[in-house]
């Protein structure tokens, strides 16, 4: 979860061209291309929290969490810029 700077309407990207919400950012072709290429995970924004859904294979370790955070930060960048 990443705390956002301000609350927003609920939005989500759950699959190729499967979106929830009405934000204009959901229409960005680059965001869908990044999702389809596996560069960003499925995500949801609710109020001021961004949640991503990352599969972490094997045992949960600190380095695995750091690897999972990288695509989450790509979502933050794509979502708010």
């Amino acid at each position: 979860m990443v705390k956002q700077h301000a609350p927003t309407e609920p939005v989500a990207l759950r699959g190729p061209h499967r979106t929830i919400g009405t934000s204009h950012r959901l229409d960005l072709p680059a965001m869908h291309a990044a999702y389809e290429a596996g560069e960003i995970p499925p995500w949801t924004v609710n109020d001021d929290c961004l949640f991503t859904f990352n599969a972490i294979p094997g045992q949960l370790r600190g380095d695995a969490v750091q690897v999972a955070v990288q695509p989450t930060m790509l979502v933050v960048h794509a979502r708010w810029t």
Side-chain angles (χ1 to χ4, degrees):
M1 179 193 80
V2 176
K3 189 92 163 162
Q4 301 297 298
H5 62 278
T8 187
E9 73 278 4
V11 295
L13 177 64
R14 295 296 176 88
H17 303 285
R18 182 169 170 246
T19 59
I20 300 167
T22 59
S23 173
H24 68 279
R25 292 179 179 96
L26 292 171
D27 296 330
L28 296 172
M31 186 175 296
H32 289 277
Y35 178 86
E36 291 172 19
E39 296 169 1
I40 62 172
W43 57 268
T44 298
V45 173
N46 189 15
D47 195 25
D48 63 351
C49 297
L50 170 92
F51 300 90
T52 61
F53 305 90
N54 302 295
I56 299 176
Q59 190 175 23
L60 182 60
R61 298 185 338 243
D63 58 337
V65 173
Q66 280 190 319
V67 169
V69 167
Q70 293 170 351
T72 299
M73 295 313 295
L74 289 174
V75 174
V76 170
H77 179 71
R79 169 98 175 97
W80 297 112
T81 58

